[in-house]
Amino acid sequence: MNLNDTDFELFGVPTTFAQDRAVLDARWKELQREAHPDRFASQGAAAQRIAMQWSVRINEAYQRLKDPVRRASYLCELNGAPIEAENNTAMPGDFLMQQMEWRESLDDATAIAAVDALQAEVDAARARALSSLDWLIDEKGDFRAASQQVRALMFIERFAQDVEAKADQLGQ
């Protein structure tokens, strides 16, 4: 293993969007056992520092690989299509219209049933976006289009948090 390996190389999994969460979880536990600083206690402070670096690197890779949005973003970056969400917020007009409609629906929602219906709609949009990412990355290898889809999914996930907050507000 090398600290400069990609997350996929580190975990020994294919460089694809589709990943088996159970495999990632098992490999994370295995890698953490191998790199745990306590295993290097008898080898001195320098060995423990290196083990700590490995432990941090393993955790960072795991967090990226287990989260579909972060994994897709990472794959896009690895393939020359960085997300650049801070600088590139351009989205198709129909997507922006959908966002505006959702915002209005959320603002107008006064009953938990309305929020639940909106949550179901957002969950369906998220599922479609994830499926699209799977196709764009693993089937087509179109990382430019995938990067735009990741940005859209980031919008959807932020809005889903707002929906959840509204549900909490109405539920109390």
Side-chain angles (χ1 to χ4, degrees):
M1 291 190 309
N2 182 327
L3 282 173
N4 295 322
D5 284 349
T6 69
D7 296 351
F8 299 97
E9 292 166 338
L10 180 63
F11 272 69
V13 295
T15 307
T16 59
F17 178 72
Q19 293 291 328
D20 183 334
R21 177 65 187 265
V23 169
L24 293 174
D25 292 348
R27 184 68 176 137
W28 174 75
K29 287 177 186 173
E30 181 182 323
L31 289 168
Q32 282 298 354
R33 269 193 305 277
E34 290 175 18
H36 198 279
D38 289 349
R39 289 191 67 209
F40 300 89
S42 65
Q43 296 178 23
Q48 283 188 304
R49 270 194 306 280
I50 291 170
M52 182 60 76
Q53 287 176 332
W54 271 106
S55 186
V56 168
R57 173 69 178 94
I58 291 163
N59 282 329
E60 288 172 346
Y62 178 63
Q63 294 303 316
R64 248 187 314 269
L65 291 177
K66 76 176 186 171
D67 179 88
V69 177
R70 292 181 68 187
R71 183 172 59 246
S73 178
Y74 183 61
L75 281 163
C76 288
E77 287 177 31
L78 287 176
N79 288 279
I83 304 307
E84 299 175 333
E86 315 79 43
N87 305 328
N88 186 353
T89 57
M91 298 304 269
D94 57 338
F95 179 79
L96 294 174
M97 287 300 295
Q98 179 66 67
Q99 291 290 306
M100 288 174 39
E101 289 172 15
W102 282 350
R103 284 270 165 223
E104 288 175 11
S105 295
L106 185 60
D107 289 345
D108 294 344
T110 57
I112 196 70
V115 175
D116 288 345
L118 187 56
Q119 182 66 56
E121 194 175 326
V122 171
D123 289 346
R126 183 179 191 276
R128 284 190 304 274
L130 288 171
S131 178
S132 176
L133 279 173
D134 189 19
W135 178 71
L136 287 167
I137 293 172
D138 291 350
E139 301 297 322
K140 282 189 74 182
D142 187 347
F143 294 96
R144 296 248 180 258
S147 68
Q148 183 174 7
Q149 189 65 38
V150 168
R151 286 191 300 276
L153 190 52
M154 293 167 98
F155 273 90
I156 292 168
E157 292 206 336
R158 277 193 298 271
F159 183 71
Q161 292 171 351
D162 294 343
V163 172
E164 187 176 319
K166 180 79 170 208
D168 289 347
Q169 177 188 17
L170 290 176
Q172 294 181 6

